[in-house]
């Protein structure tokens, strides 16, 4: 596989170069002038060499000598280098000016600090800071604010705080720079943001909309709803909520805290909605799994407001269209992208189109979009790889990681995270180990997401000792890592060990999320651990996870498989918003306890009440009919599935109904279904 061999070839050039430098003439080369006898070298006792003198042509080799320019033209040259992000050249000129004692103004330093922010170069930023001190401008308020912003943008909150503390008179702009830096540093440090914001208020700093916006962004990242509500009230008290910019920040915060109603209310209060406000609303609905509402708002933005989506909204809405498989709407968006011509070659829009077509099962169009672009990159390759995997084409997904390297693109962290589950599905242990080696050589580890993917891959490939080793060496564990360790034990059939992992997790600082609770309930169902299942149910009620559809379905199935049908019915009735998952769970619960007629009646009740069964619901009810010998019902439900609900029957569903019909002597119907089954398999 190319992924490892490409890593091994990286040092070939340097190896050849080193070999050529160490080469000596072969003794057989004769006829040349004899070499001079070498003198015996003695240890040198001379003092160390003096540094090379500073020369003007080294400072500014590509233009006129600096001494022929006045300081203002030199400042313009530095600013031009800064605009081009050529910080090395600009700093060389600064060194020259320092030697000659020529001062530099604050505007020039501001341009240099902005370039450091764009390049995220902390080293160059610190060098510029030294020159600011040399020029005696460290007390300049304007540059102080710029320095705080530079350090925070480059990820050095400690240095930013130090500059801020050294400032004699901190204005609102430097406070805002410090707030913003703490926000963009991530790590859910909303408590730090809150303490800084509180200190601003205590010192009487005149808060503006940017102060509140930074605080709202911090609360959104940490889902700190209570603090967000208090700060919202404070913004109203300060008379700042007339700003559409601030209202957009509030919309984003409420969505990320899961309060869709409050977000919609704030959005409705925005009188002049710009493209940013619409984008925040669409992204928020998509984030809260309200895809159809997001698409409805997307249509409203275009039809009623006359606003066409920008690249950010396109990147947000394309995955939503793919999730709901709205192929027609997606093609309309694709047509808009082609018509505008500005977005076609943008990497995230291009990969979004590939992802959309692949999610809709249209791999032909997805490949056409991919190969139709002249500017393919690692992002688009990863999108195609993910599409192959989602459509069950695992071999092509695994080969794609070789093809992308042949085009000169190196797999990144996201690519590796995409291809590891493919190795797990194919049980490709050799390629999985090669990818693991590549991740180690490129310093992608320890990345918790990659480590958990590696754990699952090794467990599915039948190497149970590797996941344990990876988990034990993982210092920064999170909920996902604990859940993956449980899944690994479930994969190898050691369910008791999976329960022990869950108990250890409960004793650690991490608390299980809804996914972990669902996994544990499945384990309880398998080992018939009713008492533990009830304990888990209590934790779910305490955490208010019972409203999540797959969690409520797992609770019902757990009680059903443990033989407590009364509790299963009680849990089903407690679900306020029922769906196909909960209905399927209660049908299976009746089936597990031998109440086969009740299970069929429950399915018919589900249809009569307007709920739409999915493929899993039909599999469950057809299995119950086969077990009970309900041939008439099975035939009727099968016709209902592919005629009314337009679901393509699977091979297992065909075989169950055919076997049941043959068992009761209905040979002609069984033969007709066999013909249908063979024709459908030929089409796929």
């Amino acid at each position: 596989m190319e992924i490892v061999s490409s890593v091994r070839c990286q040092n070939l050039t340097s190896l050849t170069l080193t070999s050529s430098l160490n080469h000596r003439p072969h003794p057989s080369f004769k006829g040349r002038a004899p070499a001079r006898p070498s003198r015996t070298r003695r240890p040198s006792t001379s003092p160390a060499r003096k540094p090379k003198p500073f020369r003007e042509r080294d400072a500014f080799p590509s233009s006129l000598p600096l001494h022929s320019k006045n300081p203002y033209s030199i400042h313009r040259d530095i600013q031009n280098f800064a605009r081009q992000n050529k910080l090395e050249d600009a700093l060389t000129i600064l060194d020259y000016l320092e030697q000659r004692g020529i001062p530099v103004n604050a505007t020039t330093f501001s341009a240099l600090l902005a370039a450091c922010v764009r390049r995220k170069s902390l080293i160059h930023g610190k060098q510029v800071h030294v020159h600011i001190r040399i020029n005696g401008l460290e007390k300049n308020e304007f540059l102080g604010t710029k320095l705080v912003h530079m350090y925070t943008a480059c990820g050095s909150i400690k240095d930013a705080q130090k500059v801020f503390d050294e400032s004699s008179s901190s204005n609102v702009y430097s406070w805002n720079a410090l707030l913003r830096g703490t926000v963009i540093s991530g790590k859910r440090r909303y408590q730090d943001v809150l303490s800084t914001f509180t200190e601003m208020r205590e010192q009487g700093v005149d808060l503006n909309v940017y102060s509140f916006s930074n605080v709202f962004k911090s609360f959104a990242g940490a889902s700190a709803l209570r603090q967000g509500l208090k700060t919202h009230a404070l913004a109203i008290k300060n008379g700042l909520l007339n700003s559409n910019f601030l209202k957009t920040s509030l919309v984003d915060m409420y969505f990320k805290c899961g309060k869709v109603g409050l977000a919609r209310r704030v959005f409705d209060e925005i009188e002049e909605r710009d493209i940013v406000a619409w984008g925040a609303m669409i992204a928020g609905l998509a984030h809260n799994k309200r895809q159809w509402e997001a698409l409805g708002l997307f249509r409203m933005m275009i039809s009623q407001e006359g606003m066409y989506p920008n690249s950010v909204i396109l990147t947000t809405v394309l995955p939503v269209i793919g999730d709901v498989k709205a192929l027609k709407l997606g093609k309309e968006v694709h047509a808009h992208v082609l018509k505008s011509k500005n977005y076609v070659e943008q990497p995230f829009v291009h990969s979004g189109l590939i992802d959309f077509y692949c999610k809709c099962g249209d791999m032909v169009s997805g490949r056409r979009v991919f190969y139709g672009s002249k500017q393919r990159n690692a992002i688009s390759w990863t999108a195609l790889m993910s599409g192959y995997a989602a459509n069950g084409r695992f071999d092509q997904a695994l080969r794609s990681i070789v093809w992308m390297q042949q085009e000169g693109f190196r797999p990144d962290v996201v690519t590796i995270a995409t291809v590891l589950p493919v190795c797990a599905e194919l049980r490709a242990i050799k390629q999985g180990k090669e990818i693991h080696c590549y991740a180690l050589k490129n310093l992608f580890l320890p990345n918790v997401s990659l480590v958990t993917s590696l754990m699952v891959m090794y467990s599915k490939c039948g190497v149970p000792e590797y996941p344990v080793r990876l988990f034990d060496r993982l210092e920064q564990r999170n909920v996902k890592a604990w859940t993956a360790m449980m899944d690994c034990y479930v994969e190898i059939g050691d369910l008791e060990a999976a329960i022990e992992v869950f108990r250890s997790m409960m004793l650690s600082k991490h608390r299980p999320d809804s996914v972990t609770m669902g996994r544990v309930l499945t384990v309880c169902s398998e080992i018939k651990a009713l008492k533990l299942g009830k304990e888990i149910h209590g934790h779910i009620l305490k955490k208010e996870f019972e409203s999540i559809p797959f969690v409520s379905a797992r609770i019902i199935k757990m009680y059903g498989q443990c033989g407590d049908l009364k509790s299963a019915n009680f849990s089903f009735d407690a679900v306020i918003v029922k769906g196909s998952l909960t209905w399927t769970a209660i049908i299976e619960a009746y089936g597990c306890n031998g109440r086969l007629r009740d299970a069929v009646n429950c399915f018919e009740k589900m249809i009569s009440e307007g709920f739409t069964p999915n493929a899993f619901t039909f599999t469950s009810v057809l299995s119950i009919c086969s077990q009970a010998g309900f041939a008439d019902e099975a035939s009727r439900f099968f016709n209902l599935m592919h005629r009314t609900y337009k679901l393509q029957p699977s091979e297992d569903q065909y075989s169950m109904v055919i076997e049941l019909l043959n068992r009761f002597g209905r040979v002609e119907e069984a033969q007709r279904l066999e013909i249908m089954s063979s024709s459908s398999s030929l089409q796929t």
Side-chain angles (χ1 to χ4, degrees):
M1 189 171 176
E2 291 286 330
I3 193 156
V4 174
S5 57
S6 65
V7 176
R8 292 170 181 164
C9 292
Q10 288 176 4
N11 297 323
L12 287 180
T13 308
S14 59
L15 182 62
T16 309
L17 181 62
T18 309
S19 303
S20 63
L21 290 173
N22 295 330
H23 183 67
R24 296 287 182 271
H26 197 273
S28 63
F29 281 90
K30 297 178 181 179
R32 298 191 180 187
R36 294 179 181 178
S38 59
R39 296 177 182 175
T40 306
R41 294 190 178 183
R42 296 177 181 177
S44 176
T45 56
S46 60
R49 291 183 180 180
K50 293 182 180 180
K52 189 177 178 181
F54 187 86
R55 295 179 297 179
E56 290 178 2
R57 67 167 177 244
D58 295 329
F60 202 20
S62 61
S63 186
L64 297 172
L66 281 177
H67 65 264
S68 66
K69 298 186 175 186
N70 61 44
Y72 297 105
S73 61
I74 297 172
H75 294 167
R76 281 198 300 272
D77 289 329
I78 297 173
Q79 290 168 28
N80 286 332
F81 277 129
R83 278 191 287 271
Q84 298 170 36
N85 293 333
K86 295 181 178 179
L87 289 169
E88 294 81 3
D89 296 331
L91 285 164
T92 307
I93 302 174
L94 283 180
D95 290 335
Y96 173 85
L97 295 179
E98 181 196 338
Q99 294 278 339
R100 293 299 179 91
I102 301 173
V104 182
N105 59 25
T107 307
T108 304
F109 282 123
S110 173
L112 287 168
L113 290 171
C116 294
V117 170
R118 287 194 296 271
R119 284 184 54 175
K120 297 287 189 288
S121 177
L122 183 61
I123 296 172
H124 291 115
K126 287 186 174 182
Q127 292 177 29
V128 174
H129 191 181
V130 170
H131 282 287
I132 289 172
R133 289 182 181 277
I134 290 169
N135 281 266
L137 295 173
E138 67 269 20
K139 299 298 182 182
N140 185 296
E141 285 189 21
F142 172 68
L143 285 182
T145 302
K146 290 286 184 180
L147 278 167
V148 172
H149 175 57
M150 182 275 296
Y151 279 123
T152 54
C154 294
S156 182
I157 303 296
K158 187 177 180 181
D159 287 320
Q161 186 70 53
K162 186 178 179 182
V163 172
F164 181 81
D165 293 338
E166 289 174 356
S167 177
S168 56
S169 58
S170 301
N171 54 29
V172 68
Y173 304 107
S174 55
W175 278 101
N176 286 348
L178 189 63
L179 276 175
R180 183 177 180 275
T182 313
V183 172
I184 63 177
S185 67
K187 302 178 183 177
R188 294 179 177 260
R189 298 175 58 169
Y190 87 94
Q191 291 289 356
D192 295 342
V193 175
L194 190 60
S195 63
T196 304
F197 183 69
T198 305
E199 192 177 348
M200 286 176 70
R201 293 177 60 200
E202 289 173 352
Q203 294 192 15
V205 178
D206 190 14
L207 305 172
N208 59 20
V209 292
Y210 298 102
S211 310
F212 281 96
S213 175
N214 286 319
V215 176
F216 287 141
K217 285 177 183 175
S218 175
F219 294 156
S223 298
L225 177 63
R226 188 177 177 186
Q227 296 294 343
L229 289 167
K230 290 180 180 178
T231 311
H232 185 178
L234 188 63
I236 295 172
K237 186 178 178 181
N238 281 265
L240 296 173
L241 218 58
N242 294 326
S243 167
N244 291 343
F245 169 74
L246 195 58
K247 286 180 179 177
T248 304
S249 299
L250 269 171
V251 169
D252 178 63
M253 182 198 72
Y254 282 129
F255 269 129
K256 287 180 178 174
C257 291
K259 297 298 179 182
V260 178
L262 288 174
R264 188 181 291 278
R265 192 180 304 173
V266 175
F267 178 75
D268 291 338
E269 291 174 1
I270 302 175
E271 295 178 0
E272 296 180 5
R273 298 165 187 157
D274 57 5
I275 195 73
V276 180
W278 282 99
M281 193 68 189
I282 292 168
L285 289 169
H287 176 76
N288 284 273
K289 305 298 181 186
R290 301 201 177 192
Q291 289 96 337
W292 288 111
E293 291 181 51
L295 294 180
L297 206 69
F298 176 69
R299 288 183 181 276
M300 188 190 302
M301 180 188 77
I302 298 171
S303 60
Q304 295 184 11
E305 299 290 331
M307 286 187 185
Y308 287 93
N310 57 15
S311 59
V312 177
I313 294 180
L314 288 172
T315 307
T316 302
V317 83
L318 280 169
V320 177
I321 297 171
D323 289 338
V324 300
K325 295 180 172 49
L327 187 60
K328 184 180 177 183
L329 177 60
K331 287 182 175 180
E332 292 175 10
V333 174
H334 189 184
H336 169 71
V337 170
L338 294 172
K339 187 178 178 181
S340 64
K341 296 182 181 179
N342 296 326
Y343 306 137
V344 179
E345 295 300 335
Q346 289 195 15
F348 291 104
V349 176
H350 182 234
S351 61
L353 285 167
I354 297 167
D355 178 67
F356 144 69
Y357 278 117
C358 293
K359 281 181 177 176
C360 292
D362 189 355
M363 285 301 301
V364 175
S365 298
R367 286 165 55 88
R368 189 181 296 127
V369 172
F370 175 79
Y371 288 108
S373 173
K374 296 178 182 178
Q375 298 182 4
R376 294 193 289 272
N377 55 18
I379 299 171
S380 52
W381 271 105
T382 304
L384 184 67
M385 213 177 298
S386 177
Y388 279 135
N391 285 274
R393 301 185 182 184
F394 300 113
D395 289 322
Q396 286 174 286
L398 196 55
R399 284 197 293 268
S400 295
I401 202 167
V402 180
W403 297 334
M404 75 178 286
Q405 290 177 95
Q406 290 173 350
E407 282 198 3
F409 301 112
R410 292 174 59 79
D412 57 12
V413 176
V414 182
T415 312
I416 300 302
T418 303
V419 80
L420 280 172
V422 174
C423 295
E425 291 295 329
L426 293 173
R427 308 296 190 265
I429 184 67
K430 180 177 179 292
Q431 290 87 343
K433 285 183 175 181
E434 290 175 355
I435 292 166
H436 189 180
C437 176
Y438 177 86
L440 286 169
K441 287 186 177 181
N442 286 272
L443 304 179
F444 292 162
L445 299 173
N447 178 297
V448 180
S449 297
L450 283 187
V451 171
T452 52
S453 297
L454 283 166
M455 288 164 60
V456 173
M457 185 270 294
Y458 281 124
S459 66
K460 287 194 173 183
C461 290
V463 191
E465 62 273 13
Y466 281 15
V468 178
R469 198 178 302 168
L470 286 165
F471 183 75
D472 289 341
R473 291 178 181 176
L474 189 62
E475 294 179 2
Q476 300 295 327
R477 295 173 185 167
N478 59 11
V479 177
K480 190 181 291 186
W482 284 99
T483 308
M485 193 65 245
M486 286 174 53
D487 288 342
C488 292
Y489 280 120
V490 171
E491 181 68 31
I492 62 174
D494 194 349
L495 303 181
E496 295 292 343
I499 293 294
E500 287 303 314
V501 171
F502 176 74
R503 293 190 187 279
S504 299
M505 179 185 179
M506 294 293 288
L507 295 173
S508 72
K509 64 179 181 179
H510 301 107
R511 290 293 172 264
D513 59 5
S514 57
V515 177
T516 313
M517 292 296 193
R519 295 282 200 283
V520 181
L521 285 170
T522 303
V523 175
C524 293
S525 303
E526 293 292 329
I527 63 176
K528 305 291 189 293
L530 181 60
K531 184 181 178 182
L532 179 61
K534 287 182 176 181
E535 291 178 16
I536 304 301
H537 191 181
H539 282 294
I540 288 170
L541 293 172
K542 188 177 179 181
K543 294 283 185 181
E544 298 181 352
F545 290 155
E546 73 278 4
S547 60
I548 301 172
F550 78 89
V551 175
S552 58
R554 295 284 174 86
I555 293 169
I556 296 164
K557 288 175 74 172
M558 182 273 297
Y559 281 122
Q561 290 189 2
C562 291
D564 191 350
L565 194 56
K566 183 179 178 182
S567 296
N569 270 310
F570 181 80
S571 300
F572 177 76
D573 293 336
V575 177
I576 299 170
V577 181
K578 297 178 177 65
S580 58
L581 286 173
T582 46
W583 279 101
T584 306
I586 193 64
I587 290 167
E588 289 180 350
Y590 279 119
C592 289
N593 289 274
R595 304 269 293 273
L596 305 180
R597 175 55 66 183
D598 289 335
V600 171
N601 292 339
C602 188
F603 176 72
E604 290 179 336
K605 183 181 179 183
M606 172 187 179
I607 295 171
S608 65
E609 291 186 8
F611 293 96
T612 303
N614 57 23
F616 298 104
T617 315
F618 279 107
T619 300
S620 298
V621 76
L622 289 174
S623 175
I624 289 167
C625 290
S626 176
Q627 184 181 348
F630 298 152
D632 292 336
E633 288 83 353
S635 180
R636 180 159 53 88
F637 295 155
F638 186 84
N639 291 330
L640 192 71
M641 177 174 61
H642 72 89
R643 289 178 184 174
T644 305
Y645 294 103
K646 309 299 181 185
L647 294 172
Q648 180 63 39
S650 65
E651 290 185 11
D652 290 339
Q653 290 167 340
Y654 270 116
S655 61
M656 279 190 291
V657 180
I658 289 169
E659 187 274 332
L660 180 60
L661 292 173
N662 281 323
R663 198 194 315 163
F664 283 85
R666 298 164 67 165
V667 180
E668 292 182 3
E669 293 180 55
Q671 289 176 346
R672 188 169 66 251
L673 288 182
E674 285 178 356
I675 295 169
M676 287 175 59
S677 175
S678 59
S679 62
S680 65
S681 62
L682 286 172
Q683 289 176 4
T684 55

